[in-house]
Amino acid sequence: MTRNELKALAISMLDRAYCRYSHFPVGAALECADGSVYTGCNVENAVYPAGICAERNAIFHAVAEGHTDFVRIVIAGHSDDYCVPCGICRQVMQEFAPELEVICLNKSGEEKTFALKELLPYGFDNRWLPQES
């Protein structure tokens, strides 16, 4: 899939966002190493912690389908600034793809690209866990 096609998919997910509380729609499109793509949108709830961000929605959908080798993700929003992932989403990305390319869009479709390590330089992963002997 081309970069522009992936961006278009993320943008198309903005219309599916359920964001009646924040009024801040977010769409995401995640590309796996094998070329498969999973999309997501934010889904809110009156009890805020019960919602989910677009990025995690796409990632969890991919994991549920057996994919954990991610290459890049596009995150789209309607804001003037670039729509960057929250801390929880950054940590979830770290779990599966510490080398992930993160493409953030603003409402004009302009992009800013990050390596996940730029967004989460000291991410927690299995290196921090006690090693079995």
Side-chain angles (χ1 to χ4, degrees):
M1 172 162 288
T2 70
R3 186 181 198 89
N4 285 337
E5 290 170 332
L6 200 63
K7 287 169 56 174
L9 271 177
I11 292 168
S12 75
M13 294 305 294
L14 290 168
D15 292 334
R16 295 190 182 177
Y18 182 80
C19 55
R20 64 186 294 183
Y21 304 101
S22 72
H23 305 288
F24 191 85
V26 179
L30 174 71
E31 184 176 7
C32 300
D34 70 355
S36 57
V37 174
Y38 294 89
T39 57
C41 61
N42 56 320
V43 179
E44 297 176 350
N45 187 278
V47 179
Y48 273 110
I52 189 167
C53 298
E55 303 92 301
R56 283 182 286 141
N57 193 333
I59 291 168
F60 295 164
H61 184 192
V63 172
E65 295 293 325
H67 296 272
T68 58
D69 191 8
F70 310 139
V71 176
R72 62 185 169 173
I73 189 167
V74 175
I75 305 161
H78 282 312
S79 55
D80 291 330
D81 204 353
Y82 300 99
C83 192
V84 297
C86 74
I88 295 171
C89 288
R90 293 174 194 199
Q91 182 58 52
V92 169
M93 292 173 190
Q94 172 75 24
E95 178 72 21
F96 295 102
E99 302 300 321
L100 188 67
E101 177 184 20
V102 182
I103 303 163
C104 303
L105 306 180
N106 64 14
K107 70 180 181 184
S108 300
E110 298 166 327
E111 69 178 71
K112 184 162 185 160
T113 302
F114 300 93
L116 180 58
K117 290 179 187 228
E118 292 176 87
L119 296 172
L120 190 66
Y122 298 101
F124 185 83
D125 59 27
N126 63 9
R127 293 174 296 169
W128 299 93
L129 299 175
Q131 300 301 311
E132 293 182 33
S133 42

